[in-house]
Amino acid sequence: SVIFLQQGLGTSFQPILRSQDGLDQNLILAQRQNAADRRLTILQPVYVIEASVGKKEIPFRLALPLPEAERKVKTPHVAMFQWDDRLQRWLPLDAVTNKLGMLEATANQLGHYALLVDQEPPTIRVLRPADGDEVPLNRFLVEAEISDEGSGVDTVELWMDEQSALFLYERETGRLAYLPSNLNPGRHTLEIHAMDRS
């Protein structure tokens, strides 16, 4: 379903929600290739939202049905994506499961939308210090890099000695920084958890 959020669009605005059948095969091939390169699986159909007039940017709420198996799990392995013509890439959207068992997101670009399966977890790479090394006093900082090529990183959590701790995380760069404080000299355990959108 598509619900347009802007009032007063006029009678000449006729939205169309349909599948990709009959569209440019090169575009469909590019979409499949981008998904395969990122180890994502496209759940067919890919939905196309078009309009009879030239409006391209218009806010709307889109709800796409989840497969039966995904409705029964608390955290589905499925995320909603929008195709970016300029980047030739699927871009993940922040979506939630609604009461009807559909994945729902707000968007503002007419175009191609799909549900993609992402079963690859995010990657956490500790930059410094290395596992088991000391945190040097002249650079009393723990740094890590978190990335996810599939649906993108959703949440990051950090624990120091099994206690939740405050940290800085830059979503754009994937960089995490933690300043240890109030620690006694000796060994400590730091855990970083990252979850993607699906």
Side-chain angles (χ1 to χ4, degrees):
S1 72
V2 178
I3 299 171
F4 288 92
L5 305 175
Q6 186 175 324
Q7 299 296 319
L9 291 172
T11 54
S12 63
F13 182 75
Q14 296 295 320
I16 301 162
L17 173 62
R18 66 184 193 91
S19 72
Q20 277 186 313
D21 291 344
L23 293 183
D24 180 11
Q25 291 300 309
N26 290 330
L27 173 63
I28 294 170
L29 185 62
Q31 291 174 347
R32 288 181 183 160
Q33 188 63 52
N34 179 254
D37 290 347
R38 294 162 63 190
R39 299 174 68 162
L40 296 166
T41 306
I42 300 174
L43 295 179
Q44 296 296 339
V46 172
Y47 297 87
V48 181
I49 304 168
E50 300 173 321
S52 55
V53 293
K55 273 189 187 270
K56 183 119 173 98
E57 286 195 29
I58 181 165
F60 59 91
R61 196 164 47 247
L62 174 65
L64 300 178
L66 282 167
E68 192 65 38
E70 295 291 336
R71 290 182 204 174
K72 296 175 182 170
V73 294
K74 185 178 177 192
T75 308
H77 290 100
V78 176
M80 188 184 296
F81 287 78
Q82 172 184 1
W83 179 253
D84 188 300
D85 285 324
R86 188 178 55 80
L87 298 174
Q88 293 289 289
R89 181 177 175 82
W90 286 109
L91 299 179
L93 297 172
D94 290 325
V96 295
T97 306
N98 68 17
K99 295 177 206 167
L100 300 173
M102 301 174 88
L103 211 54
E104 188 174 293
T106 301
N108 64 1
Q109 291 276 327
L110 301 182
H112 299 238
Y113 291 84
L115 298 179
L116 281 76
V117 177
D118 177 10
Q119 296 197 5
E120 294 290 320
T123 302
I124 303 171
R125 187 168 67 95
V126 176
L127 303 176
R128 64 177 70 85
D131 193 20
D133 283 359
E134 286 187 21
V135 179
L137 291 176
N138 65 343
R139 189 165 169 84
F140 207 57
L141 182 68
V142 175
E143 294 177 291
E145 193 173 77
I146 303 168
S147 60
D148 186 80
E149 278 298 308
S151 58
V153 176
D154 184 36
T155 58
V156 177
E157 297 172 335
L158 185 141
W159 287 272
M160 174 58 78
D161 297 329
E162 298 182 5
Q163 296 290 319
S164 179
L166 296 175
F167 59 94
L168 295 172
Y169 175 65
E170 294 178 353
R171 190 168 298 280
E172 299 78 30
T173 63
R175 301 285 287 224
L176 176 142
Y178 169 65
L179 221 58
S181 61
N182 302 325
L183 294 179
N184 294 323
R187 293 186 67 80
H188 297 276
T189 303
L190 176 99
E191 285 184 51
I192 300 170
H193 291 202
M195 184 177 288
D196 58 20
R197 282 182 173 91
S198 63

